[in-house]
Amino acid sequence: MTATAAIFYLKDGYHTSGQKLYGRQAASEGFLKGLVNYGMSNCLYCYTAEQSGFTEFCEQIKPWLTQERNVEWLPYDQPQRLSQPGVLFRPDSVITAMVWERRFVDQRAYSLCGLTHSIASKDAMADLGKLLLAPVQPWDALVCPSPAVKTVVERLWEGWSEYLAKRTGGKLQQEMKLPVIPLGVDCAAFPQGYQRQMIRRSLRAKWEIGQTDVVVLYVGRLSFSTKAHPAPMFIALERAKQATGATIHLILAGWFENEAESDSFRDCAQAFCPSVITSCMDGRSPDIRTNVWAVADLFMSLADNIQETFGLTPIEAMAAGLPVIVSDWNGYRDSVRHDIDGFRIPTVLPPPGVGLDLAWGQLSETLPYGAYVAHTAMTTAIDVDACTQALTTLIANPELRARMGASARQRAAQVYDWSVVIAAYETLWQELAEIRAIAPEAVPLAPNEPPYPLVDDPFRLFAHYPTTQLSADHRLKLGAMAAPEALYALRHIGITGFGTERRLDVSVQDTILSAIAENGSLSVSTLLSRYVNGNPAALVQTLLYLLKFDILQLEHQEP
């Protein structure tokens, strides 16, 4: 049986059609499409709270299904069924609650597989810190799309573990795996050859770009605070224009968070690259996202933000056959080969110890997250001279652009195509299954131990509140409210019928009441032996519910 995973599905996390388009959404949508197209399992599993979510899942994947597949819904309230696929995949790192939830079922029943995206916020780092305390298992994994983000996670865990060792006297070890699997791209979706040339000619004519003009492309959210400050790019482009004399167009394909930032970008372009023809296009438009690559001669992204962890758009540019100029920064460092697929531009960051004011601001919330990463980015320097040289070299050398673009496309197909990435995930999931079968269980659950001590069984945590607790020795008899009309009212009034799903079926309740009436009274142990139906908790809760409304009464024993 081919290893696969159930998909934790929330529509917003997998769609790129909203007014705000984020990299995590594009990556998750691509992952889902890749799993449908290239996954080897004959069944796709969807894990949602409501059937409506499953319906949305089916609608989304329908256009991608090229072969007959079983598609199965696994509801949230039936987590034991996750043992069928064996893995639950969530496209973010917020999996701590799921780790604890699994402990209510069976820690060996299935693996959990998360995926890191941006981890710079205090909430994201807190979620990662919680994993160190949660009952994660050796058969769980948190996928890092780049070695850069893996290093951050390891550094975060090491520092938190050191603190906890000082606080508690024992250092914690993290059990889960941290494999590096990159985000992917559908290389076939980027036109090449004759088709690309036709799109290029048509759109250049439509956008009034000369066929021999040089087009530099940036794709992504247009935000100086959370993506990349545009000024170094603008300055380098102006210098390259002056050095080469070429007619240069800069296309910014993305979207702005607000009108003020839009105005500021345009003011910045006018101030720092007035000789470059700059245009902004809506990168949320499917037509733009699909076709703008064919118009460009090279791609450029000088990310300077700690929110970035991988960088998907340079991979898309490589798949489109474009040479790329990127900052030597986090995931870009691993995806783009310097002097082969394009150029990586050196970056400089302040030394450790001078940013504690920023850390305090984020913790105290006197510095909102956007401001926190913006202030950090404002002290990340890009080597503008090196960028100018890279631009000048590529602008002046069409043959080099073609050679680097071909190398970039080959690398994208060999390393980042979804067919390769999905295969890597399936290999990981199979490895997790093998580990799950033989590895010792971390923090095994002892009998009568709460699965999650901070959210315990209320009947255990608050056991000292009542006069007594129902026991197997208690005998139950019919109460004064056991008449049919009282039962009917009880079950059909909202506030007295509440919680039906946690009690035994009405027909079983009636059978229990009839048996008690016939015998005068019955012990709880007798009822448990007769009517438990595999769910003793539901039976006991049902008995207390009937006691609450005087349908049943405790039979008092003579001393």
Side-chain angles (χ1 to χ4, degrees):
M1 179 178 173
T2 302
T4 191
I7 301 300
F8 175 84
Y9 184 80
L10 293 173
K11 183 177 180 180
D12 176 68
Y14 294 86
H15 270 265
T16 57
S17 56
Q19 283 300 301
K20 293 186 176 183
L21 175 58
Y22 297 102
R24 60 175 175 81
Q25 293 169 316
S28 296
E29 183 183 68
F31 174 88
L32 185 56
K33 183 178 180 181
L35 183 66
V36 172
N37 284 335
Y38 302 111
M40 301 302 291
S41 173
N42 62 3
C43 190
L44 297 167
Y45 296 92
C46 174
Y47 187 64
T48 65
E50 306 290 342
Q51 189 158 10
S52 58
F54 177 60
T55 301
E56 291 173 345
F57 175 85
C58 292
E59 287 298 315
Q60 182 167 2
I61 68 172
K62 187 176 180 180
W64 305 330
L65 285 168
T66 57
Q67 56 181 306
E68 191 68 27
R69 293 277 189 90
N70 296 321
V71 185
E72 189 168 341
W73 177 39
L74 303 179
Y76 281 3
D77 61 358
Q78 299 177 34
Q80 67 278 6
R81 292 179 58 191
L82 288 167
S83 62
Q84 293 174 240
V87 179
L88 174 59
F89 173 77
R90 177 167 175 151
D92 58 34
S93 56
V94 190
I95 61 173
T96 302
M98 291 178 165
V99 174
W100 286 109
E101 289 164 8
R102 180 180 58 188
R103 213 164 186 237
F104 285 79
V105 184
D106 177 0
Q107 294 194 117
R108 203 178 285 275
Y110 54 92
S111 296
L112 288 161
C113 181
L115 170 63
T116 61
H117 286 292
S118 177
I119 57 172
S121 72
K122 70 171 185 176
D123 290 340
M125 288 188 275
D127 285 330
L128 289 169
K130 291 173 185 176
L131 280 172
L132 199 61
L133 296 169
V136 296
Q137 301 296 329
W139 47 85
D140 297 328
L142 182 62
V143 175
C144 301
S146 68
V149 71
K150 179 179 179 178
T151 298
V152 174
V153 174
E154 290 176 330
R155 188 171 292 163
L156 187 74
W157 279 346
E158 179 63 23
W160 186 230
S161 182
E162 290 287 351
Y163 164 76
L164 291 173
K166 293 176 182 177
R167 183 71 177 84
T168 66
K171 187 173 181 179
L172 295 170
Q173 297 297 321
Q174 184 51 263
E175 298 283 346
M176 70 192 317
K177 297 175 69 65
L178 278 178
V180 175
I181 302 177
L183 302 181
V185 65
D186 183 4
C187 290
F190 295 87
Q192 294 295 303
Y194 178 76
Q195 184 183 6
R196 182 179 187 275
Q197 288 301 319
M198 291 299 293
I199 295 171
R200 180 183 178 90
R201 289 196 183 97
S202 173
L203 288 182
R204 282 198 169 212
K206 179 180 178 181
W207 295 342
E208 299 181 347
I209 299 173
Q211 295 299 325
T212 59
D213 294 353
V214 175
V215 175
V216 178
L217 174 65
Y218 170 86
V219 176
R221 188 150 34 102
L222 297 166
S223 170
F224 87 93
S225 61
T226 59
K227 295 299 286 186
H229 200 294
M233 175 172 63
F234 293 158
I235 295 168
L237 278 166
E238 180 66 23
R239 292 179 183 176
K241 159 69 179 178
Q242 299 305 324
T244 62
T247 301
I248 301 174
H249 296 256
L250 171 64
I251 296 178
L252 302 172
W255 60 277
F256 293 102
E257 296 273 7
N258 52 61
E259 196 64 34
E261 189 151 34
S262 172
D263 292 342
S264 188
F265 258 70
R266 289 178 170 86
D267 291 344
C268 197
Q270 182 59 41
F272 298 123
C273 59
S275 304
V276 175
I277 305 167
T278 302
S279 57
C280 297
M281 298 183 180
D282 189 352
R284 296 166 296 187
S285 164
D287 287 342
I288 296 295
R289 288 208 314 272
T290 300
N291 295 319
V292 72
W293 309 98
V295 178
D297 294 292
L298 62 98
F299 176 84
M300 190 173 182
S301 179
L302 302 180
D304 56 9
N305 204 285
I306 58 174
Q307 180 168 269
E308 279 284 5
T309 56
F310 178 74
L312 186 58
T313 54
I315 304 299
E316 293 175 321
M318 291 164 68
L322 294 175
V324 292
I325 297 175
V326 296
S327 49
D328 189 41
W329 184 254
N330 60 53
Y332 287 11
R333 178 174 300 137
D334 302 291
S335 54
V336 178
R337 298 171 297 181
H338 185 68
D339 273 341
I340 300 175
D341 310 312
F343 298 101
R344 295 202 309 266
I345 308 305
T347 55
V348 183
L349 200 66
V354 300
L356 290 177
D357 60 322
L358 298 175
W360 183 87
Q362 185 179 197
L363 180 63
S364 65
E365 298 186 354
T366 57
L367 197 62
Y369 174 65
Y372 165 73
V373 293
H375 280 291
T376 305
M378 290 298 285
T379 56
T380 303
I382 308 289
D383 189 332
V384 176
D385 282 348
C387 187
T388 302
Q389 182 59 51
L391 277 167
T392 302
T393 300
L394 286 175
I395 289 169
N397 195 333
E399 293 79 13
L400 179 61
R401 295 202 300 266
R403 187 165 66 251
M404 284 186 162
S407 295
R409 180 166 172 81
Q410 183 182 47
R411 178 166 173 78
Q414 291 176 345
V415 179
Y416 301 106
D417 189 78
W418 278 118
S419 60
V420 179
V421 174
I422 293 298
Y425 269 97
E426 290 183 333
T427 298
L428 169 65
W429 297 337
Q430 180 60 42
E431 182 182 351
L432 296 181
E434 293 168 0
I435 295 172
R436 196 166 65 247
I438 61 173
E441 187 173 319
V443 286
L445 188 64
N448 298 318
E449 180 186 358
Y452 183 22
L454 296 182
V455 186
D456 192 10
D457 174 356
F459 307 131
R460 174 167 39 216
L461 190 61
F462 300 99
H464 58 294
Y465 276 30
T467 306
T468 188
Q469 290 183 297
L470 191 68
S471 72
D473 295 332
H474 278 120
R475 295 188 68 86
L476 301 174
K477 63 180 182 178
L478 294 185
M481 293 289 288
E485 60 272 16
L487 273 172
Y488 181 86
L490 178 72
R491 292 165 177 169
H492 289 84
I493 295 173
I495 62 172
T496 56
F498 174 77
T500 302
E501 71 281 358
R502 298 196 180 278
R503 296 190 290 273
L504 296 181
D505 187 77
V506 167
S507 63
V508 180
Q509 294 182 34
D510 289 341
T511 301
I512 291 172
L513 293 174
S514 296
I516 292 174
E518 182 180 342
N519 291 275
S521 68
L522 288 174
S523 67
V524 173
S525 61
T526 299
L527 294 173
L528 282 168
S529 66
R530 291 185 186 180
Y531 305 109
V532 67
N533 197 27
N535 193 346
L539 174 60
V540 173
Q541 289 190 34
T542 301
L543 295 177
L544 263 297
Y545 167 78
L546 296 171
L547 278 165
K548 181 180 186 69
F549 296 105
D550 203 37
I551 305 298
L552 292 178
Q553 292 180 353
L554 289 178
E555 183 178 74
H556 295 289
Q557 306 294 317
E558 292 295 332

